[in-house]
C-alpha cells in the first residue's frame, strides 16, 4: 500500500506497483485521511490470511508422515504386556514418576501428533496402563 495523501511521496506509483507485483502482492493506493482503498486493502489481506491458514490446515491434516521415533514407540508399546514396561518404570515407582512417564510418552503417542499406524491403539494402551497402576495405589 502506498499513501496517496502525502504531499511528497517516498515511492512513486510505478515503483510501488513493480515491487508489489514482483512479490505476488496486489498494489493499493491508500489514504488514511479519506479512507480511500483502506477497507479494500484490509479485506484482501484478511482473505489471503484465511486462504493460507486453510491451506496449511488441510495440508497438515492430509499429511500422514511420521518419524522413525514415532513408529518405534508405537511398536514398542504394542509389544508390551506389563503396565510398568509400557510406561518404562519400575514396579516401586512413585505416583509422580508414573505421571511424569505417562506425560512424556503421551506427547509422542497422541494420535493428533502421531500418525504412525497403530498410534491410537498404543495411546489407549498407555492410558489404560497409567490408570491401572494409579488405581492400584
Amino acid at each position: 500500500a502506498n499513501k496517496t495523501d502525502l504531499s511528497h511521496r517516498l515511492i512513486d506509483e510505478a515503483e510501488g506497483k513493480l515491487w508489489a507485483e514482483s512479490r505476488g502482492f496486489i498494489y493499493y493506493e491508500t489514504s488514511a485521511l479519506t479512507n480511500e482503498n483502506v477497507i479494500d486493502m484490509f479485506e484482501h489481506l484478511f482473505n489471503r490470511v484465511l486462504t493460507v491458514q486453510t491451506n496449511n490446515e488441510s495440508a497438515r491434516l492430509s499429511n500422514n508422515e511420521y518419524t522413525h521415533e514415532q513408529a518405534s514407540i508405537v511398536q514398542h508399546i504394542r509389544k508390551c504386556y506389563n503396565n510398568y514396561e509400557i510406561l518404562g518404570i519400575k514396579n516401586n515407582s512413585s505416583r509422580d514418576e508414573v505421571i511424569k512417564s505417562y506425560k512424556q510418552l503421551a506427547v509422542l503417542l497422541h494420535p493428533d501428533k502421531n500418525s504412525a499406524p497403530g498410534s491410537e491403539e498404543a495411546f489407549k494402551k498407555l492410558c489404560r496402563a497409567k490408570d491401572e497402576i494409579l488405581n492400584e495405589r
Side-chain angles (χ1 to χ4, degrees):
N2 198 3
K3 292 184 175 185
T4 60
D5 52 357
L6 296 176
S7 58
H8 172 69
R9 288 182 172 212
L10 299 176
I11 299 171
D12 70 1
E13 185 177 350
E15 185 181 352
K17 282 182 180 179
L18 180 64
W19 184 92
E21 290 171 4
S22 70
R23 288 164 176 78
F25 296 111
I26 293 176
Y27 177 80
Y28 284 94
E29 292 272 321
T30 62
S31 170
L33 185 63
T34 64
N35 203 24
E36 177 187 359
N37 291 327
V38 173
I39 293 173
D40 293 338
M41 179 191 64
F42 280 108
E43 282 180 353
H44 181 260
L45 175 64
F46 179 71
N47 287 331
R48 288 284 300 265
V49 168
L50 283 179
T51 300
V52 168
Q53 179 64 29
T54 301
N55 290 343
N56 286 344
E57 186 68 17
S58 296
R60 186 185 68 78
L61 293 174
S62 66
N63 185 356
N64 288 331
E65 294 181 9
Y66 48 89
T67 66
H68 177 70
E69 179 187 23
Q70 290 173 319
S72 294
I73 193 72
V74 167
Q75 291 303 315
H76 171 75
I77 297 295
R78 291 176 75 186
K79 291 178 183 177
C80 293
Y81 294 103
N82 177 310
N83 289 336
Y84 294 94
E85 184 183 1
I86 291 169
L87 287 165
I89 57 175
K90 297 178 181 174
N91 291 1
N92 62 350
S93 295
S94 70
R95 181 179 184 82
D96 288 341
E97 290 170 322
V98 171
I99 293 170
K100 180 180 178 183
S101 179
Y102 165 76
K103 286 181 179 180
Q104 289 172 343
L105 290 168
V107 169
L108 295 173
L109 285 171
H110 196 282
D112 287 348
K113 304 287 184 190
N114 186 338
S115 61
S119 63
E120 190 171 334
E121 177 186 318
F123 182 72
K124 288 176 183 177
K125 193 171 182 178
L126 173 69
C127 292
R128 276 194 304 273
K130 178 215 28 139
D131 291 341
E132 289 174 9
I133 290 172
L134 292 178
N135 288 336
E136 291 174 0
R137 297 166 190 257

